[in-house]
Amino acid sequence: IERNLVQAISREAARRRRRVESDVFGDLSRLLPLQPSVRAHLDKPSVIRLTLSYIRIGCDGAQDEEEKDTEEFEASQETNMYLGILEGFVMVLSTEGDMIFLSDNVSKYMGLTQTELMGHNIFEYTHPCDHEEIRSNLRLTAGGEYIIIQDFVMRIKSALTHRGRTANLKSATWKVLHCQGRAKVCVDPSAVSCLLLTCRPLPLSHTLLSRYTFTSQHSMDMRFTYCDQRVTSLLGYRPEELLGRSIYDLCHALDTSCLNKNHLNLCLKNQSVSGQYRMLVKGGGYVWVESHSAVIPSVRPSRSRPGIPQPLCILSVTYVLRCVHYF
Amino acid sequence: VNVTFEQQVDDVLVEEEQSTSVSLPSLMTPPSAAGMSLSVELTRKRKGSVDNQDSKCVSVPDVDMEDDQNRYKDQHVKVKCFREPHSQIEKRRRDKMNNLIDKLSAMIPTCNPMSRKLDKLTVLRMAVQHLKSLKGSASSFSEANYKPSFLPDEELKHLVLKAADGFLFVVGCDRGKIVFVSESVTKILNYSRAELIGQSLFDYIHPKDMGKVKEQLSASELYPRERLIDAKTGLQVQADLPIGAARLCSGARRSFFCRMKYNKISIKVEEKESQGNVLLESQKYCTVHCTGYMRSWPTSQLGAEGEGEVDKQESSHFSCLVAVGRVHNHSSPQVNGEVRVKPTEFITRYAMDGKFTFVDQRATTILGYLPQELLGTSCYEYFHQDDLPHLADRHRKVLRSKEKIETNCYKFKTKYGSFVTLQSQWFSFVNPWTKELEYIVSTNTVISYDPSRAGRSGNKSEQSSNPKASEDCKKSPPIIPGISSTPGTMIYAGSIGTQIANELLDFNRTNSSPSSGNVSPFSLPQDKSPQIHNQISNSVPNGETSDMEIPGKSSSESEPQGAAFSGGETLMENSQLDLESVVGPGLNSLSSDEAAMAVIWSLLETDTNLGEAVDFEEMHWSL
């Protein structure tokens, strides 16, 4: 009987402790800026994660309600416009890779909400082969704010199906994100050094002036295997003249590294945006262009020999951004 | 909602399980990690079943399952209810929670000074206090009409614009009136918002770009149909859309460059780094890359800002461009730091054999030749005779190295017969996929134009002990180590380059596997000939190829082209991005081409076991 009593007492004590703990978690969650429906479903680790983010951002919820409204409304309009142009979301990363902040439209692109992701570490969500690259981007050097500019491509898990619905993360797919941004290096100990990034999934769905774009296909070494007719009016070459030629031949000498990076991203991650580079025009001079490319698995569907891979090719859409430039 | 990579999870998993983070160990090297991610089998989580095989369960029927980890902690009773994997999960969960608590205590000022580690509850309580103090007078977020967000929109706006370093602007399509511009324009163009709003955009655009910007804002279009590309075949698919609709409909995107005025009072201009014809204009204009989309609003909603009441045609809709402008920086950083092209520099590109394939327009003012006069000709035809040996040596070197190679000063013949003294930096660019040399990029600096200094130049280099050269040391034909100079053979300067190129090609052919020309970025030449590499590297110190005898015949194996492979050892110091250096040494260890292809294939099938296949058939790219 004694034993049972002891057990009962300790059980009761444990229950009480748990209750107290739950209460404190509840208090904490009520201090976070969350929708009530979201708050109700938060588990304990998430509460802590979000609290951490909230503190790191430097929450300043203490503002006069009325003033806030109009200012905020304008600001949110502007931000929405911006994010709309960007076709992406904003991410703030700590030097260890914690996603301190994500704009709430992240759910549109990744199928996971802001509260589900904030506070987690980016390495948990990105392709292992990209970790090294991400790490090197996180190594921020000291000295001044907003100096270092980052531009890289990484693969991240997305719970979106291609019909736009949100699935469980168990059936996540890899999404290729193009990330650009700046490092904010803070010497002040109370502020956190971090990386401010805008992330947009590739491929981008642009509907640019079709007059200024042309499509091309390349073998994996970037030699043209096909080019549409529009290239003639834009660059002066006939499509036949380009077949077999490497894109490296046609770019300006100083843009080699830009294309190199693009090429590597294609090899490793399937998709890439080249950034702006110069393509030589027939007869002299060059134009500034930007290419959006992806690796396409072989077109031929025959799987009679499943062990042997079919040749891959690169599909590229090139936008001419500026008219002919003669140095 | 997270993924776990556990193979056997067949025990009770509670809600907390779903919140623990992915346990993808970051210790994994890329290949094995890739393997892991490919062979994930997500086990189904069965709730409510407890494996009692080796259990000595203490039955605690009214325990809240959520807190079983606490239960373990609190009770100090060794309960072996579950099999090993589960206790590992539990441990991980506890560790995670402890980790979070530690992070939290580090962020809270009142926790920091404590020397001993605080317990969980205390930290949590302090966190509550801290948040309350931060929020100040504002109460908890429970008002119905308040939209809670982690970052006030004002802050977010700043964040976004900071990240992208641009400014937002909205201009009417009709007259280009600037309807809105964000504050960040001040930092970029140095004009205040007040100065710009209401003005016409065209007042701030370079005259030569006005036509282009007008076109971007206008409604007319030559090819109205939206172009789609079938991602499967890469061919265009015609879509039917009425003329003009696609163009001006909301969402139609724009992207273009234009030169915009900026207020130059306090902005430092990077004149030296801008190229060509922008030199003069860089005083006043900077190149802005604008991307955005078209929007159309009914004027009834706009009030004073609409232009609808003036223009009949647009009385119902106000069309405008909503865009972000970002300053475009001309100078692209090169692989090895920055290459700043100063006015007395020009860039050229050579094929492997030294023939010009690209000539910067600036070369004309320096050399006298038009680019087309140089293209296709060999650089050796222009080099001064005395400089041929050392330049040939450098040529050899650059073909075998991934580093930038500097030449000494040398003389280059201009169109008019005189010589200019140049000094160049060469580096060879290798196609990351095929590993073949694409070309050599040369940054050429003018040292002196003075033709009277056409005396001795560049002879302080390694044109030293060359035993073979002394054999046929004649005065008129230049002695170039390695180039056959048997009597009776006229040495055409052009052939020097070709021979050097051929040496490399032949050597590569004899030493590479047959499939290396194929699609195989992961098999390095040195996989196939490690023996030769070792032998050669012992006998030839790095970089001293110039002193070695190089017989004219290219099939000789004793050639010190081991230096070529020594570049492979210093992958991390490569001046050029390489697949190996990006991905990591792990993938290098794959021995066969098939294994390499299998990895690529699995990486490219972007999702394999993580779920549904990305369906390329359904992926249409709209243009």
Side-chain angles (χ1 to χ4, degrees):
Chain A
I1 295 181
E2 238 183 57
R3 196 157 140 264
N4 283 343
L5 198 59
V6 164
Q7 278 181 1
I9 293 174
S10 70
R11 266 204 310 273
E12 191 52 42
R15 236 177 277 149
R16 224 177 300 129
R17 273 195 293 268
R18 279 193 297 279
R19 237 177 286 138
V20 168
E21 192 181 280
S22 295
D23 286 345
V24 177
F25 268 105
D27 288 342
L28 201 53
S29 72
R30 271 184 291 279
L31 290 168
L32 296 172
L34 299 165
Q35 303 279 3
S37 52
V38 173
R39 184 179 297 129
H41 292 113
L42 276 187
D43 59 38
K44 290 173 185 173
S46 297
V47 173
I48 303 187
R49 266 192 297 117
L50 294 172
T51 307
L52 279 169
S53 281
Y54 197 49
I55 296 177
R56 276 159 146 169
I57 294 171
C59 46
D60 48 359
Q63 217 178 333
D64 192 355
E65 290 278 328
E66 281 147 37
E67 256 179 33
K68 207 172 6 182
D69 279 344
T70 39
E71 241 178 56
E72 291 281 297
F73 179 70
E74 276 176 16
S76 85
Q77 288 278 64
E78 206 176 309
T79 314
N80 288 338
M81 275 197 277
Y82 194 94
L83 290 174
I85 294 173
L86 188 71
E87 290 182 311
F89 58 92
V90 175
M91 187 192 293
V92 179
L93 283 179
S94 76
T95 44
E96 284 121 41
D98 291 328
M99 296 185 280
I100 303 177
F101 176 78
L102 294 158
S103 56
D104 55 19
N105 63 343
V106 66
S107 51
K108 190 168 143 197
Y109 300 103
M110 283 180 59
L112 299 165
T113 65
Q114 185 191 41
T115 44
E116 281 173 314
L117 287 171
M118 261 173 65
H120 278 298
N121 193 284
I122 189 123
F123 293 113
E124 297 161 13
Y125 287 88
T126 47
H127 197 290
C129 291
D130 295 336
H131 286 182
E132 191 50 52
E133 194 174 353
I134 299 172
R135 239 173 244 125
S136 71
N137 277 292
L138 285 173
R139 270 176 231 131
L140 310 172
T141 57
E145 283 196 11
Y146 302 113
I147 301 272
I148 309 139
I149 299 175
Q150 318 281 352
D151 190 326
F152 59 96
V153 171
M154 68 181 179
R155 283 159 289 184
I156 201 163
K157 286 184 197 159
S158 164
L160 278 181
T161 63
H162 41 269
R163 276 176 187 79
R165 288 199 295 263
T166 307
N168 197 298
L169 193 58
K170 283 181 218 161
S171 51
T173 56
W174 290 119
K175 201 154 205 174
V176 183
L177 280 188
H178 178 218
C179 304
Q180 288 175 302
R182 313 183 90 92
K184 180 179 179 189
V185 181
C186 301
V187 189
D188 181 3
S190 66
V192 179
S193 288
C194 55
L195 198 58
L196 304 178
L197 293 173
T198 53
C199 306
R200 45 181 192 164
L202 299 179
L204 304 172
S205 60
H206 277 189
T207 12
L208 295 188
L209 270 182
S210 47
R211 224 179 113 189
Y212 291 119
T213 71
F214 67 92
T215 319
S216 55
Q217 267 184 22
H218 305 256
S219 48
M220 290 305 289
D221 61 359
M222 290 305 271
R223 273 166 213 281
F224 281 86
T225 53
Y226 163 81
C227 194
D228 92 49
Q229 298 291 339
R230 240 168 275 285
V231 69
T232 313
S233 57
L234 295 169
L235 298 181
Y237 306 102
R238 290 192 318 277
E240 312 83 76
E241 287 179 285
L242 293 174
L243 298 184
R245 288 189 71 180
S246 165
I247 202 161
Y248 293 110
D249 277 346
L250 296 171
C251 73
H252 192 284
L254 290 176
D255 294 326
T256 306
S257 62
C258 164
L259 281 181
N260 185 18
K261 193 168 157 192
N262 185 51
H263 195 175
L264 281 169
N265 277 335
L266 280 172
C267 295
L268 298 170
K269 298 160 196 169
N270 261 13
Q271 297 182 49
S272 186
V273 178
S274 67
Q276 292 121 22
Y277 65 99
R278 287 155 283 198
M279 271 195 94
L280 302 174
V281 167
K282 184 168 182 178
Y286 60 83
V287 290
W288 283 98
V289 302
E290 187 174 276
S291 294
H292 299 174
S293 320
V295 174
I296 307 292
S298 165
V299 173
R300 276 162 287 158
S302 74
R303 293 281 175 198
S304 53
R305 293 175 297 173
I308 298 176
Q310 305 284 348
L312 309 161
C313 73
I314 293 170
L315 182 66
S316 197
V317 175
T318 305
Y319 302 90
V320 175
L321 298 165
R322 190 165 178 183
C323 55
V324 182
H325 214 52
Y326 290 101
F327 304 92
Chain B
V1 181
N2 282 292
V3 177
T4 73
F5 287 83
E6 290 299 305
Q7 297 292 335
Q8 308 131 29
V9 177
D10 55 357
D11 296 304
V12 177
L13 289 170
V14 299
E15 291 121 39
E16 272 196 18
E17 182 61 45
Q18 293 168 0
S19 71
T20 54
S21 308
V22 171
S23 55
L24 185 67
S26 53
L27 316 160
M28 279 182 159
T29 58
S32 48
M36 272 292 271
S37 66
L38 295 176
S39 60
V40 157
E41 287 200 349
L42 297 164
T43 57
R44 284 174 304 142
K45 302 182 179 186
R46 290 187 337 253
K47 284 196 174 174
S49 72
V50 174
D51 188 347
N52 280 328
Q53 274 180 4
D54 47 352
S55 72
K56 276 191 232 173
C57 255
V58 172
S59 73
V60 275
D62 53 347
V63 167
D64 186 354
M65 285 310 237
E66 262 191 28
D67 299 319
D68 54 357
Q69 70 173 55
N70 290 337
R71 166 163 57 98
Y72 280 30
K73 248 200 233 161
D74 296 345
Q75 288 188 344
H76 306 293
V77 173
K78 247 199 190 137
V79 177
K80 229 183 167 183
C81 263
F82 304 96
R83 280 191 295 187
E84 195 53 24
H86 185 77
S87 68
Q88 273 183 6
I89 302 171
E90 283 300 314
K91 180 175 189 313
R92 219 176 342 160
R93 220 193 305 163
R94 279 199 300 277
D95 288 343
K96 201 90 205 179
M97 177 60 85
N98 290 337
N99 191 270
L100 285 171
I101 297 285
D102 287 343
K103 275 186 179 170
L104 194 58
S105 68
M107 296 289 328
I108 299 172
T110 44
C111 290
N112 276 338
M114 302 288 176
S115 50
R116 60 180 176 82
K117 198 170 154 188
L118 295 168
D119 69 284
K120 185 166 154 191
L121 211 52
T122 314
V123 173
L124 288 171
R125 285 204 174 110
M126 284 178 153
V128 171
Q129 288 309 311
H130 184 64
L131 283 197
K132 278 189 179 155
S133 70
L134 283 176
K135 285 157 56 59
S137 57
S139 52
S140 62
F141 290 99
S142 45
E143 290 104 18
N145 54 357
Y146 178 76
K147 186 202 168 223
S149 63
F150 276 84
L151 204 60
D153 281 321
E154 189 65 32
E155 293 286 322
L156 180 59
K157 183 191 80 176
H158 285 306
L159 200 71
V160 166
L161 291 172
K162 269 260 152 59
D165 196 29
F167 61 93
L168 192 67
F169 64 96
V170 181
V171 296
C173 290
D174 188 41
R175 292 194 188 88
K177 180 164 149 197
I178 300 175
V179 165
F180 173 84
V181 69
S182 71
E183 280 158 29
S184 43
V185 71
T186 318
K187 241 189 289 180
I188 296 170
L189 295 182
N190 209 31
Y191 288 108
S192 70
R193 277 177 98 181
E195 281 177 281
L196 293 173
I197 291 188
Q199 304 298 316
S200 167
L201 180 68
F202 294 110
D203 291 342
Y204 294 90
I205 304 264
H206 190 282
K208 286 195 187 155
D209 292 337
M210 282 203 213
K212 173 170 199 176
V213 176
K214 266 197 193 119
E215 192 183 16
Q216 297 281 342
L217 292 177
S218 76
S220 66
E221 206 220 24
L222 292 177
Y223 306 99
R225 294 210 185 109
E226 202 175 280
R227 292 165 67 221
L228 297 175
I229 289 189
D230 183 346
K232 203 172 169 188
T233 59
L235 300 175
Q236 287 179 51
V237 168
Q238 288 288 17
D240 285 326
L241 276 176
I243 292 174
R247 195 54 182 64
L248 203 52
C249 69
S250 271
R253 300 196 68 101
R254 296 285 182 271
S255 178
F256 58 94
F257 280 127
C258 63
R259 280 160 286 182
M260 285 196 184
K261 262 189 208 168
Y262 67 86
N263 208 355
K264 64 178 157 74
I265 291 172
S266 54
I267 285 190
K268 292 201 180 97
V269 178
E270 297 176 342
E271 285 164 48
K272 298 201 176 86
E273 287 166 16
S274 52
Q275 292 180 15
N277 66 350
V278 191
L279 272 176
L280 291 175
E281 290 140 1
S282 63
Q283 302 278 348
K284 295 190 323 189
Y285 294 92
C286 59
T287 307
V288 178
H289 180 208
C290 305
T291 42
Y293 55 89
M294 306 300 288
R295 282 215 50 186
S296 173
W297 285 300
T299 47
S300 50
Q301 292 180 7
L302 287 167
E305 289 183 357
E307 297 179 353
E309 53 259 17
V310 179
D311 192 4
K312 241 191 238 173
Q313 278 179 345
E314 299 191 15
S315 57
S316 53
H317 283 89
F318 174 59
S319 301
C320 61
L321 171 69
V322 179
V324 168
R326 269 172 287 206
V327 175
H328 178 243
N329 195 357
H330 280 276
S331 59
S332 44
Q334 289 294 288
V335 287
N336 217 6
E338 301 246 356
V339 168
R340 290 169 197 271
V341 183
K342 301 186 189 70
T344 50
E345 282 187 6
F346 62 96
I347 308 276
T348 51
R349 236 174 19 204
Y350 304 120
M352 197 194 280
D353 60 4
K355 294 212 173 85
F356 285 100
T357 58
F358 174 93
V359 178
D360 184 344
Q361 199 87 358
R362 236 169 281 123
T364 309
T365 54
I366 296 166
L367 303 175
Y369 301 103
L370 289 172
Q372 41 269 45
E373 293 177 282
L374 292 173
L375 293 177
T377 61
S378 169
C379 57
Y380 287 97
E381 295 170 31
Y382 308 88
F383 295 155
H384 191 278
Q385 195 162 288
D386 296 342
D387 297 313
L388 287 175
H390 109 263
L391 290 169
D393 156 64
R394 290 293 188 278
H395 184 183
R396 260 197 206 96
K397 227 166 159 177
V398 79
L399 289 180
R400 288 158 178 75
S401 161
K402 293 192 182 188
E403 304 295 319
K404 276 194 176 177
I405 306 286
E406 297 242 350
T407 68
N408 293 328
C409 296
Y410 62 96
K411 292 192 300 297
F412 194 104
K413 188 157 69 175
T414 69
K415 186 168 183 176
Y416 315 108
S418 59
F419 285 89
V420 295
T421 312
L422 302 175
Q423 195 249 333
S424 302
Q425 224 180 25
W426 293 347
F427 86 92
S428 58
F429 174 68
V430 169
N431 188 308
W433 186 265
T434 61
K435 302 283 180 144
E436 285 164 9
L437 182 92
E438 288 278 347
Y439 42 65
I440 300 165
V441 179
S442 171
T443 312
N444 313 291
T445 315
V446 179
I447 304 292
S448 126
Y449 290 93
D450 192 345
S452 65
R453 292 184 77 204
R456 297 172 36 81
S457 74
N459 281 339
K460 40 198 155 164
S461 61
E462 284 99 60
Q463 203 198 346
S464 49
S465 54
N466 192 333
K468 191 150 190 199
S470 59
E471 280 178 25
D472 37 17
C473 183
K474 294 177 194 164
K475 272 204 176 165
S476 26
I479 308 305
I480 295 140
I483 305 298
S484 59
S485 46
T486 56
T489 315
M490 283 276 287
I491 299 175
Y492 292 101
S495 68
I496 299 172
T498 321
Q499 267 199 291
I500 294 180
N502 287 338
E503 278 169 19
L504 183 71
L505 287 172
D506 289 342
F507 181 76
N508 283 346
R509 214 177 303 129
T510 54
N511 279 302
S512 314
S513 77
S515 64
S516 76
N518 272 358
V519 186
S520 178
F522 298 112
S523 70
L524 300 172
Q526 63 214 51
D527 280 349
K528 313 297 172 187
S529 58
Q531 313 268 321
I532 301 176
H533 169 57
N534 288 333
Q535 287 165 11
I536 294 173
S537 65
N538 284 337
S539 58
V540 179
N542 230 350
E544 301 243 357
T545 54
S546 58
D547 288 359
M548 290 295 296
E549 297 189 14
I550 304 171
K553 301 197 186 87
S554 49
S555 56
S556 162
E557 303 257 335
S558 66
E559 294 191 15
Q561 271 121 345
F565 302 135
S566 62
E569 283 174 340
T570 54
L571 281 172
M572 291 303 145
E573 298 152 11
N574 273 350
S575 53
Q576 181 193 330
L577 285 176
D578 210 338
L579 273 174
E580 289 88 18
S581 57
V582 170
V583 175
L587 282 161
N588 276 355
S589 59
L590 294 165
S591 51
S592 71
D593 282 8
E594 277 153 349
M597 270 316 293
V599 173
I600 303 176
W601 197 244
S602 57
L603 287 176
L604 291 172
E605 284 180 341
T606 52
D607 56 289
T608 323
N609 287 16
L610 272 191
E612 300 162 42
V614 172
D615 200 346
F616 278 111
E617 279 122 56
E618 293 197 358
M619 185 175 91
H620 283 274
W621 289 22
S622 51
L623 294 177

